[in-house]
Amino acid sequence: MKLLHTADWHIGRTLNGYSLLDEQKYAFKQILKIAKDEKVDGIVIAGDIYDRAIPGTDAIMALNEMFKEINIDNKFPIYAISGNHDGAKRLNYGRDWMEFNNFHINTLLEEAFTPIETPDTQIFLLPFFDPMDARVYYQKQGMDEDKVKSIKNISDAMALVLADMYRIFDPNKKHLLVTHFAVSASADKEIELTSETTSKVGGLETLTASQFDKFDYVMLGHIHTRLASPNERIRYSGSPVKFNVKEAKTTYNKGVYIVDTEKEADKTDLREILPGTDLIVLNETWENLLDPEFYSKQPVRKDWFAITIKDFDRTKHVHTNVRAQLQDIYGTVVELDYENIEKKANESTSKNISQLSKEETVDEFFQSITGNQLSKDQKTIVDDIFLELERGE
Ligand SMILES: [Mn+2]
């Protein structure tokens, strides 16, 4: 059996307010083409299909069109689960109808114990869940109370879930798992996340690869880079689109995996996905940024830019609309930073902000951003505002 493994589409995501939908559609076209070229038996989407539990209408319509192209126009089966970003119950809508057309989507833990059976493979679709979901599920199954209470973290919960799955393994078939968690290579290794809100996961939130040993192959979602994969049999496909500046600084292309149960997984399984509009990260002086010699070599007005201005003395540019000037030249500037100002801001926070009064905090903030102290008039305005707020309370 041959499957295309992708994850973390996050349809509807924005980058500092800029919609990534066009970029996501561009990546989708490539994914569909890869599926056709490889003649896969299905497309796996390992969670975080939407970016939010209640997605916007444009996101819903875009995803609806993508699913239609995959499943109705091109007749590829879909094997999907919900991730931590998806609203499990909303995404569950229409599930029974979709099932008729080989569109399998699991969003609730209880659905994970009925694998999809093909002639030679069992595909287990285990959506994201938390320890509380597992407690509720096992309580309903009649597990005794003490044992239910002993489910303290995701690792405890997963041990029970996997044991239940192993019990229904058909020994004559291959066993695939699709799920959405942080899985590290071993217990003492932390995983670095690139795109989630926390920069690192470890300890109670992390599972270890050895828990999944009985599966022939595990297709993961949750971590947005395939470089976090624990090994070649347990892999993250990563997101098909770069979602932030940190990712834009990486030099490798995004991609999907082609998983063939008839062969060993290896590096040749990767199919790259190229950006339509790339995100270019610049760290340059103001003078360089405005120099035609420099910017004529950049993909201005085509790609997006995240710009950090080096050695920038804001006090010398109080009458300059920095962002507007850069946008005139470069087009879309999704992120703008000042290297020196940032340093100053860090220094001032080390002054122990908790010991400053409200008025002093505003003064500190103003200083760190502009390099100037508040004038007497400005101070009076700040004082008046705080006074007014207190009266309002
Ligand atoms: Mn995600």
Side-chain angles (χ1 to χ4, degrees):
M1 183 173 207
K2 210 173 170 190
L3 295 166
L4 184 151
H5 168 203
T6 178
D8 293 275
W9 286 10
H10 285 266
I11 301 297
R13 194 169 181 118
T14 56
L15 172 55
N16 296 338
Y18 292 87
S19 171
L20 290 168
L21 203 50
D22 284 343
E23 197 53 27
Q24 289 169 323
K25 287 177 184 170
Y26 187 76
F28 170 77
K29 292 283 172 210
Q30 296 174 72
I31 292 173
L32 189 60
K33 184 174 184 303
I34 293 165
K36 286 192 226 173
D37 290 348
E38 298 284 344
K39 300 187 175 62
V40 295
D41 301 304
I43 295 183
V44 169
I45 313 171
D48 281 358
I49 298 173
Y50 284 123
D51 192 49
R52 283 187 282 153
I54 305 175
T57 50
D58 54 345
I60 291 176
M61 285 161 73
L63 187 64
N64 190 53
E65 180 60 29
M66 291 173 190
F67 282 161
K68 179 181 159 289
E69 279 188 52
I70 296 174
N71 188 240
I72 296 178
D73 301 348
N74 289 285
K75 306 205 165 39
F76 288 116
I78 295 176
Y79 303 98
I81 54 168
S82 51
N84 50 313
H85 278 252
D86 299 305
K89 291 207 168 133
R90 279 197 166 73
L91 201 58
N92 203 274
Y93 175 82
R95 179 173 181 269
D96 299 336
W97 288 271
M98 280 143 45
E99 192 84 37
F100 276 107
N101 213 40
N102 268 319
F103 185 156
H104 309 278
I105 183 160
N106 283 357
T107 73
L108 306 171
L109 176 57
E110 67 222 49
E111 295 162 351
F113 303 101
T114 314
I116 315 300
E117 304 274 352
T118 75
D120 57 359
T121 309
Q122 286 181 305
I123 306 171
F124 288 82
L125 303 177
L126 175 62
F128 174 82
F129 64 93
D130 61 29
M132 182 55 96
D133 297 325
R135 269 178 243 148
V136 170
Y137 170 75
Y138 280 105
Q139 195 159 32
K140 273 194 204 155
Q141 297 296 303
M143 184 183 269
D144 54 74
E145 214 170 300
D146 283 353
K147 211 172 169 207
V148 168
K149 275 189 188 148
S150 74
I151 306 174
K152 294 236 158 32
N153 55 45
I154 195 60
S155 196
D156 299 339
M158 189 60 84
L160 291 168
V161 166
L162 292 176
D164 283 349
M165 287 180 172
Y166 295 153
R167 265 193 280 281
I168 47 175
F169 267 23
D170 179 340
N172 301 313
K173 292 185 180 183
K174 298 267 183 180
H175 309 99
L176 305 182
L177 176 67
V178 179
T179 195
H180 190 93
F181 286 97
V183 181
S184 65
S186 59
D188 55 354
K189 276 209 178 114
E190 278 197 334
I191 308 167
E192 210 181 320
L193 296 181
T194 54
S195 326
E196 299 294 326
T197 40
T198 42
S199 63
K200 284 208 167 159
V201 279
L204 300 183
E205 302 298 315
T206 313
L207 299 163
T208 46
S210 59
Q211 288 192 273
F212 301 94
D213 262 357
K214 291 195 173 66
F215 280 98
D216 293 285
Y217 191 80
V218 182
M219 289 171 251
L220 294 170
H222 191 50
I223 296 182
H224 294 173
T225 169
R226 62 175 180 272
L227 304 186
S229 303
N231 58 53
E232 301 223 294
R233 251 178 358 93
I234 304 180
R235 280 192 298 211
Y236 290 100
S237 62
S239 59
V241 168
K242 291 176 185 177
F243 291 134
N244 55 45
V245 174
K246 195 179 165 195
E247 276 192 285
K249 286 179 186 162
T250 58
T251 49
Y252 66 94
N253 286 322
K254 290 289 188 177
V256 297
Y257 280 122
I258 300 297
V259 178
D260 188 341
T261 55
E262 296 306 307
K263 82 175 219 356
E264 291 288 308
D266 61 32
K267 286 187 178 65
T268 63
D269 301 337
L270 180 74
R271 301 291 175 277
E272 290 197 337
I273 293 178
L274 302 176
T277 303
D278 211 350
L279 178 56
I280 309 294
V281 183
L282 297 178
N283 188 342
E284 289 293 333
T285 61
W286 179 243
E287 291 68 32
N288 260 359
L289 287 164
L290 297 194
D291 183 356
E293 186 76 26
F294 174 80
Y295 66 70
S296 63
K297 294 190 191 100
Q298 299 295 327
V300 294
R301 307 196 155 273
K302 183 190 160 292
D303 288 338
W304 287 5
F305 289 85
I307 300 177
T308 301
I309 310 177
K310 261 203 299 210
D311 308 323
F312 191 67
D313 186 352
R314 186 99 194 223
T315 55
K316 289 183 187 146
H317 298 89
V318 270
H319 299 296
T320 318
N321 189 336
V322 174
R323 180 178 282 272
Q325 270 203 48
L326 289 173
Q327 281 185 329
D328 264 354
I329 298 170
Y330 291 87
T332 308
V333 178
V334 295
E335 205 166 292
L336 183 57
D337 265 324
Y338 310 93
E339 208 170 50
N340 268 8
I341 301 298
E342 209 173 43
K343 265 188 214 146
K344 274 189 194 161
N346 287 340
E347 279 161 22
S348 68
T349 45
S350 66
K351 266 187 195 168
N352 200 350
I353 253 176
S354 62
Q355 286 174 12
L356 299 175
S357 71
K358 284 175 270 189
E359 293 80 2
E360 284 167 335
T361 308
V362 173
D363 194 25
E364 273 295 319
F365 177 72
F366 187 79
Q367 260 192 63
S368 71
I369 297 300
T370 64
N372 294 321
Q373 292 203 319
L374 286 169
S375 70
K376 218 178 154 201
D377 286 349
Q378 287 168 324
K379 271 190 181 152
T380 312
I381 294 171
V382 172
D383 290 348
D384 286 349
I385 289 171
F386 278 122
L387 205 64
E388 215 169 292
L389 282 172
E390 272 159 28
R391 277 202 203 113
E393 275 168 3

